[in-house]
Amino acid sequence: MRTSLVLAVSAALVAGTALGLAPAAQAAEAGGSTGIRFVDIAGEGGTVLKANVLTPAGSAAGARHPLIVLPTSWAMPQIEYLVPAQKLADAGYVVVSYNSRGFWQSGGEIETAGPKDVADASKVIDWALANTAADPDRVGMGGVSYGAGISLLAAAHDPRVKAVTALSGWADLIESIYSGRTQHLQAAALLGGAGALTGRPGPELKQILSDFLSSNLAKEEDMIAWGRTRSPVTHLDRINANGAAIMLGNAWGDTIFPPNQYASFYEKLTGPKRLEFRPGDHATAELTGLFGLPNDTWTNARRWFDRYLKGADNGIDREQPVQLKSRSTGGYEGYPDWKSVHANQRTFDLGGTQRVWANVDSGANGGVTLLTNALDQFLRTPPVVSVPLLPRSFAGVWQSERYDAPQRVRGTVKVHTTVASTEESGTLVAYLYDVGPLGVGKLVSNAPYTFHGKAPGQPFVVDLELFSTAYDVPAGHRLALVVDTVDPLYIEHNPTGAQLTFSSPAADPSYVSVPLRKE
């Protein structure tokens, strides 16, 4: 599912037209003599899927080539992957990219990676094996966002899939847009709007979105069941049994599919695997590669396919499988697994008692979906607040001591606290800031948390994982945890006049646990 590239790709296509190049011609100029065909493929139930096929040039008669299938992203047109597909075809792959059902000129209705989408992927593989020189023993799938999710689900249901590169995708749809049992408002609204503009949402999707955005808690279990069916983690046993080599890539600031759910999924995979996290927002890490520009994500995706579809000894399987790129330095760091990222923990206390009134935005917030973290990626400008000026009536604030040495935050920050509310329902949002000598705080991470059915005035424990990140806090700075109740990214559930009390009982002290890189 992806909206972040719609404007960018449209702009690029307009630019190509201005240069007198049709999209297919642009791809041809980028890659050379590889052939391209635009075809119709019969998907599940005979639904027509619009596709393009690129085949290696000059191959010997009877030669078989590894196959890569690329489902398009949410709301993206059929030509999305032409440039990277051209490069793959020039390297000896048969590449079939198809428009996911319900979007643009493909038939059917949007299924949101439902059973028909998974069946479509197998139908496309069937077609490629019957109509091209594709090798049935060397089949790979990949894509960005929606294409990533469909590829992972296909790896669970079709044992022919031997390698997957799932970029900016999801493993757990619930933990992506409903983490902390809080609706990610901007993400869901963008997906719904883009789907309506570029495709045909079916009645089921329309109902799910309506219930989700209207906070229809009576339908919560139905929404969760719908999301679980479409979550690769639900089908983990089948993915592991089939044994596909899986590469996962995502951005630290992905506001549609946050990184935590990918990291958790990665740890549970038992086959060949790789995890890459980089700065940016949803799909921005892959963006330049769609236009043929140098791009680490696409380079490693190609290396992954070369290793596990061609058997190339290119060393990618001998590298540290977890590769993290810092938001602060831009350098890569390798780890043997995700657990090793969290090997060194440092805590600071959330002492005392603080009370905040709900329903008012304190000024601390996570920014704007797609825009804010893309700016951080390219300009290193995260959202900022003046921590001393935050209104204490509407925000709880706790600060660490000043650090004598840089603190290299890596992985998932955890908050443990005790909360009491004057109402049975409510929402809080926690933010971790890097605070400089002048009190200016730069956002390190955040996450929402919603509760229902609590006894008013009765304390309860909250354990909240902030969205994973890699950020360096300079020497002389401190960390601050800020908690308020309103953020434009999320739907909040605070009744008018509600008040939250944060405490730190002696028997169960409140704290923030920060994972730090060992020097």
Side-chain angles (χ1 to χ4, degrees), residues 256-280:
I256 295 180
F257 303 131
N260 302 42
Q261 46 93 31
Y262 243 19
S264 176
F265 178 69
Y266 169 84
E267 284 290 88
K268 298 170 185 173
L269 293 171
T270 58
K273 59 184 180 178
R274 183 178 176 92
L275 178 67
E276 300 182 352
F277 284 143
R278 298 178 176 85

Side-chain angles (χ1 to χ4, degrees), residues 105-120:
Q105 294 176 314
S106 282
E109 296 176 329
I110 299 171
E111 297 284 333
T112 321
K116 290 181 181 179
D117 288 305
V118 179
D120 283 345

Side-chain angles (χ1 to χ4, degrees), residues 411-444:
T412 309
V413 175
K414 298 180 180 180
V415 177
H416 176 83
T417 189
T418 296
V419 181
S421 174
T422 57
E423 303 290 342
E424 66 173 6
S425 297
T427 297
L428 59 92
V429 186
Y431 310 87
L432 188 71
Y433 286 100
D434 159 25
V435 184
L438 299 179
V440 175
K442 296 181 179 180
L443 186 64
V444 177

Side-chain angles (χ1 to χ4, degrees), residues 216-237:
N216 185 356
L217 296 179
K219 294 294 185 69
E220 183 181 44
E221 288 305 315
D222 292 341
M223 291 186 283
I224 289 175
W226 179 88
R228 282 180 178 155
T229 300
R230 291 157 170 79
S231 297
V233 70
T234 302
H235 311 279
L236 179 68
D237 289 346

